[in-house]
């Protein structure tokens, strides 16, 4: 049981672009993964689970790909 | 017209001819908006309303194409008009020297065919999305921060901003990372190409899709919503 985390833009600073987490039979959510990566939930502007809009309290399943993007707001 | 010869035949003669009849509003005349106004005018968009209550300051000089050593302290919308007067005098440019807000938003935006985002904050973008929905006007969103940018074209009812700013934070990563010169030029170019395609109904647009640009890793990605 494994999930893949893909980080984008400034989330890559001081981190890898990609992580693989063994989730075993634990009932983990995206929020647990954010904690492990030391990413503040409030800093996540776009959260995709398998390419679709997802929620931080979504339960993770084997093979899920989570993509995280920070807010870009300048002009 | 020789002025528009090199728009052909990416645009047909008829398509280019039609551009003079469109009314486009650019909200914000800083990093993104400055390039956007320039490109719209050179293409031949007939009427451009430019909106900005701010004045140029020294820290704008690294990226805002309308700013220069001579016009620091001057209103950005007025400077946009002055610039277009020397670039293409066939274009009617109407400056609005105010920040858009919930009270003046409807009056500023109504009567335009498309709205282009040149704003520098997330809150006002939500206001723009709401007003555009009310007025049934398409809205080309663009935003930048550091090496990163994004573009999407929002039609009334799409509410794409709700998906791309899920926490509606007031500030983005640009507050920490700044905006180097190359990023507004890049994102503005894509916004203008989107606007033209919406206006002349050509090609494919980024509707319910967000183009995410990372120039540090040269990573370009389209997210579907």
């Amino acid at each position: 049981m494994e999930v893949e985390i893909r980080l984008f833009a400034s989330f890559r600073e001081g981190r890898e672009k990609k992580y693989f987490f063994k989730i075993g039979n634990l009932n983990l959510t995206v929020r647990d993964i954010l904690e492990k990566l030391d990413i503040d939930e409030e800093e996540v502007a776009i959260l995709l689970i398998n390419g679709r809009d997802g929620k931080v309290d979504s339960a993770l399943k084997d093979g899920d790909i989570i993509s995280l993007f920070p807010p870009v707001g300048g002009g | 017209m020789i002025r528009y010869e090199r728009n052909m035949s990416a645009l047909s003669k008829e398509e280019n001819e039609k551009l003079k009849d469109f009314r486009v509003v650019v909200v914000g005349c800083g990093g993104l908006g400055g390039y956007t106004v320039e490109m719209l005018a050179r293409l031949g968009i007939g009427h451009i309303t430019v909106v900005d209550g701010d004045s140029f300051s020294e820290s704008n000089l690294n990226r805002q194409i309308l700013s220069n050593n001579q016009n620091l302290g001057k209103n950005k919308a007025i400077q946009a008009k002055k610039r277009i007067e020397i670039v293409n005098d066939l274009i009617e440019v109407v400056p609005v020297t105010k920040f858009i807000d919930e009270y003046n938003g409807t009056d500023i935006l109504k009567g335009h065919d498309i709205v282009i985002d040149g704003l520098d904050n997330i809150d006002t973008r939500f206001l723009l999305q709401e007003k555009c929905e009310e007025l049934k006007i398409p809205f080309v969103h663009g935003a930048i921060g550091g090496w990163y940018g994004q573009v999407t074209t929002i039609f009334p009812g799409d509410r794409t901003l709700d998906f791309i700013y899920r926490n509606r934070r007031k500030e983005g990563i640009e507050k920490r990372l700044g905006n180097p010169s190359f990023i507004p030029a890049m994102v503005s170019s894509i916004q203008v190409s989107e606007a033209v395609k919406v206006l002349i109904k050509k090609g494919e647009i980024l509707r319910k899709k967000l183009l995410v640009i990372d120039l540090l890793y040269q990573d370009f990605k389209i997210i579907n919503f």
Side-chain angles (χ1 to χ4, degrees):
Chain A
M1 292 277 278
E2 193 175 63
V3 294
E4 180 180 338
I5 314 298
R6 296 180 183 172
L7 301 182
F8 293 90
S10 55
F11 284 150
R12 292 177 177 176
E13 289 172 13
R15 300 187 187 90
E16 304 294 324
K17 285 164 71 173
K18 238 184 229 187
Y19 291 88
F20 294 91
F21 283 109
K22 298 244 180 287
I23 57 170
N25 291 320
L26 303 169
N27 289 318
L28 294 183
T29 64
V30 175
R31 187 174 280 123
D32 297 315
I33 297 291
L34 292 177
E35 269 175 35
K36 279 185 201 294
L37 290 169
D38 194 25
I39 293 174
D40 181 355
E41 188 181 321
E42 289 291 307
E43 295 287 336
V44 179
I46 302 173
L47 193 172
L48 304 177
I49 302 176
N50 303 321
R52 293 280 156 194
D53 188 38
K55 304 260 180 291
V56 281
D57 49 13
S58 299
L60 297 173
K61 298 185 307 296
D62 187 32
D64 278 348
I65 299 173
I66 317 299
S67 304
L68 304 170
F69 300 77
V72 175
Chain B
M1 201 184 298
I2 293 169
R3 168 182 285 278
Y4 299 126
E5 195 180 77
R6 300 300 164 89
N7 284 351
M8 322 289 169
S9 57
L11 300 180
S12 70
K13 194 166 171 294
E14 295 70 30
E15 286 166 342
N16 211 137
E17 180 70 14
K18 250 198 284 183
L19 294 184
K20 74 172 181 350
D21 301 325
F22 290 115
R23 299 170 59 86
V24 176
V25 53
V26 181
V27 186
C29 299
L32 291 174
Y35 285 105
T36 297
V37 173
E38 176 95 11
M39 283 186 267
L40 293 173
R42 288 185 188 270
L43 274 166
I45 297 288
H47 175 102
I48 309 170
T49 300
V50 290
V51 185
D52 208 315
D54 197 13
S55 302
F56 285 117
S57 63
E58 197 177 342
S59 66
N60 298 151
L61 291 169
N62 81 316
R63 68 194 186 285
Q64 300 192 13
I65 192 74
L66 296 173
S67 67
N68 59 58
N69 288 330
Q70 271 89 51
N71 68 6
L72 300 182
K74 305 271 177 66
N75 174 270
K76 295 183 181 185
I78 300 287
Q79 295 307 302
K81 181 178 170 62
K82 284 188 187 297
R83 170 68 188 167
I84 300 316
E85 280 168 0
I86 59 170
V87 168
N88 187 351
D89 58 2
L90 302 172
I91 310 302
E92 179 184 52
V93 180
V94 174
V96 177
T97 58
K98 296 179 218 172
F99 293 109
I100 197 162
D101 61 32
E102 58 177 305
Y103 306 105
N104 64 22
T106 303
D107 282 342
I108 291 173
L109 301 178
K110 74 180 177 199
H112 292 90
D113 297 294
I114 196 161
V115 175
I116 306 184
D117 178 359
L119 290 164
D120 64 355
N121 71 89
I122 295 167
D123 272 355
T124 314
R125 289 189 170 99
F126 274 97
L127 174 77
L128 220 51
Q129 176 174 263
E130 187 190 314
K131 294 287 175 195
C132 288
E133 183 159 314
E134 259 173 50
L135 294 165
K136 301 190 166 38
I137 305 175
F139 164 40
V140 183
H141 160 70
I144 54 174
W147 296 85
Y148 316 107
Q150 61 189 30
V151 181
T152 184
T153 296
I154 304 173
F155 276 69
D158 293 348
R159 300 191 184 171
T160 311
L161 294 187
D162 299 7
F163 299 101
I164 64 182
Y165 296 114
R166 48 190 297 282
N167 291 323
R168 291 202 180 203
R169 283 181 73 93
K170 289 200 185 327
E171 292 182 347
I173 55 175
E174 68 285 350
K175 298 294 172 201
R176 189 170 57 78
L177 300 178
N179 284 309
S181 64
F182 46 80
I183 192 71
M186 166 101 212
V187 168
S188 165
S189 294
I190 297 169
Q191 287 181 279
V192 172
S193 73
E194 285 287 292
V196 169
K197 288 183 293 177
V198 170
L199 293 172
I200 63 172
K201 301 182 171 58
K202 195 180 176 100
E204 290 182 8
I205 56 169
L206 292 164
R207 184 174 181 190
K208 294 188 177 176
K209 293 169 195 277
L210 180 73
L211 172 65
V212 178
I213 299 161
D214 175 345
L215 295 181
L216 189 58
Y217 287 81
Q218 293 299 12
D219 195 357
F220 292 67
K221 183 175 291 300
I222 290 179
I223 300 171
N224 292 284
F225 290 102

